[in-house]
Amino acid sequence: MKRRNFIKTTGMATAGIGIAANAAGNSFFNPPQNSLPRWRGFNLLDYFSPQRSHNRGQTTNEEFKWMSDWGFDFVRIPMAYPRYVKFDPSKNITPEEVLNFDEKVVEEVYNLVEQANKHGLHVSLDLHRAPGFCVNAGFNEPYNLWQDKEAQEAFYAHWKMWAKTFAEKSRDQISFDLVNEPCTREDMNDQFSQRGPVPGDLYREVVLNCMHVIHKHNPERIIVADGNNVGSDVIPEIFDLDVGQSCRGYYPHYISHYRASWVFENPDDSPEVVWPGVIDGQNFSRKSIEDFYAPWIDAVKQGVGVHCGECGCYNKTPHDVFLAWFEDVLSVLTENQIGWGLWEFKGTFGLLNSGRKDVDYEDWYGYKLDRKLLSLLQKY
């Protein structure tokens, strides 16, 4: 039941969305005009882990060049805030330490953005772990972002710091993605506890306060809010704000997170996957993808900027199933002028060194390149 609850709250259930099923079906010949650019690129996990000992390695200048040379124009940097504050890692972080910014690491992040910009890449700076909240467990927060004013004030302080740091950067160079995949959770330290949407009026309040803080330093800064309920739901409460929204390209999770230990308590319980076809008693096809994105496409038609900040597939999914499914995802997004960011550039979801056992990799300057995936990405 926990597996089913997780999948349900991250977009498995599409019945009753109240949007005509053909909202996306005929969009190719009359695409909506998206107010956000159709950025295409990758997530970079340089500052993803809250533990500095888990550093996945810095993205190199050479890697940025490859992204640009291959025709991509976007990187998203999901950060865990403990990576750029000073605190005692042998103890739980305190509210005071949450605001103890480490200028050396802040400068490192700035230099990473500089490198990306030099290669013509737009950077989306994202708080994957914000003060008092992360969609993932594994770090003890001193408060709860959705319950405690002290956590919210700390959250605003972090965005004030980043807004000042990048105040001189143009809107073409950097945007801010406020918090990754907001949701409530019964137990913040239990990865498998029941999740749900953040109350819409509360999410609006937090977004609006961030917007005021950020635009004080650069009124042209593009701001993006991740979809509610783990990124799966549009946020109608902020349609009137000058804020874009970020969806996800993981539907259905049966395929995108096949045998993933952080999704399935027992990965051996993962149902076998096909595309298109029946998975765990449900029939899936490109039509299912169109239905899932119908609310997002409707938001674009209402003037809301939409981008898919994360998409992709864990390396346990058979490669042919992954590519067949992913082409449907990318084609639906592209027909509706919605850009995307693959999770990740290198690693188990990535273009390089994914560790798949059923791929004939191409040697690429010491990396293992999934050429079929690259060709698919370049197509869209």
Side-chain angles (χ1 to χ4, degrees), residues 3 10 22 28 48-49 57 70 76-77 85 117 141 143 154 170 176 221-222 236 252 263 287 320 339 343 346:
R3 171 174 67 85
T10 50
N22 66 355
F28 182 79
F48 174 68
S49 173
W70 284 333
R76 179 173 179 260
I77 304 176
V85 300
N117 288 163
E141 293 292 334
Y143 34 39
S170 73
F176 293 157
R221 180 68 62 229
I222 295 174
V263 173
K287 177 65 163 51
D320 58 342
W343 187 280
K346 53 187 178 184

Side-chain angles (χ1 to χ4, degrees), residues 227-355:
N228 206 342
N229 201 15
V230 200
S232 63
D233 299 345
V234 294
I235 318 158
E237 293 85 1
I238 64 170
F239 275 11
D240 63 311
L241 302 181
D242 185 19
V243 175
Q245 299 195 26
S246 180
C247 61
R248 291 295 177 265
Y250 296 137
Y251 175 82
H253 271 69
Y254 290 120
I255 288 181
S256 65
H257 289 71
Y258 177 63
R259 298 184 66 83
S261 61
W262 62 98
V263 173
F264 299 94
E265 288 186 88
N266 182 0
D268 291 337
D269 287 343
S270 303
E272 293 304 309
V273 292
V274 294
W275 192 266
V278 177
I279 307 173
D280 202 28
Q282 299 182 65
N283 190 41
F284 293 100
S285 66
R286 189 181 192 279
K287 177 65 163 51
S288 308
I289 301 296
E290 293 173 347
D291 291 348
F292 175 76
Y293 285 113
W296 294 96
I297 296 164
D298 187 64
V300 172
K301 291 177 178 178
Q302 294 185 55
V304 177
V306 173
H307 185 264
C308 182
E310 294 182 19
C311 57
C313 198
Y314 188 44
N315 66 3
K316 298 297 188 293
T317 305
H319 199 237
D320 58 342
V321 174
F322 164 38
L323 295 181
W325 162 79
F326 202 37
E327 176 143 27
D328 281 345
V329 172
L330 293 177
S331 67
V332 170
L333 292 173
T334 300
E335 288 174 12
N336 292 283
Q337 304 301 305
I338 298 173
W340 45 265
L342 181 74
W343 187 280
E344 51 203 309
F345 184 59
K346 53 187 178 184
T348 55
F349 278 69
L351 187 60
L352 299 173
N353 295 352
S354 62

Side-chain angles (χ1 to χ4, degrees), residues 81 84-85 98-99 101 131 154-162:
Y81 80 86
Y84 60 81
V85 300
V98 167
L99 297 175
F101 299 122
F155 185 51
Y156 308 146
H158 277 248
W159 278 119
K160 178 181 178 180
M161 184 274 291
W162 287 119

Side-chain angles (χ1 to χ4, degrees), residues 121-186:
L121 301 169
H122 177 89
V123 176
S124 169
L125 199 69
D126 163 64
L127 284 189
H128 187 276
R129 177 173 292 277
F133 173 76
C134 184
V135 71
N136 297 331
F139 186 87
N140 290 309
E141 293 292 334
Y143 34 39
N144 187 312
L145 178 61
W146 310 117
Q147 297 176 5
D148 303 315
K149 289 295 182 183
E150 187 177 8
Q152 292 163 17
E153 291 300 324
F155 185 51
Y156 308 146
H158 277 248
W159 278 119
K160 178 181 178 180
M161 184 274 291
W162 287 119
K164 291 175 65 176
T165 300
F166 291 106
E168 301 306 315
K169 288 282 185 182
S170 73
R171 62 188 287 113
D172 293 330
Q173 293 174 310
I174 193 169
S175 58
F176 293 157
D177 182 349
L178 299 179
V179 59
N180 183 72
E181 299 178 2
C183 64
T184 60
R185 192 161 62 216
E186 292 174 350

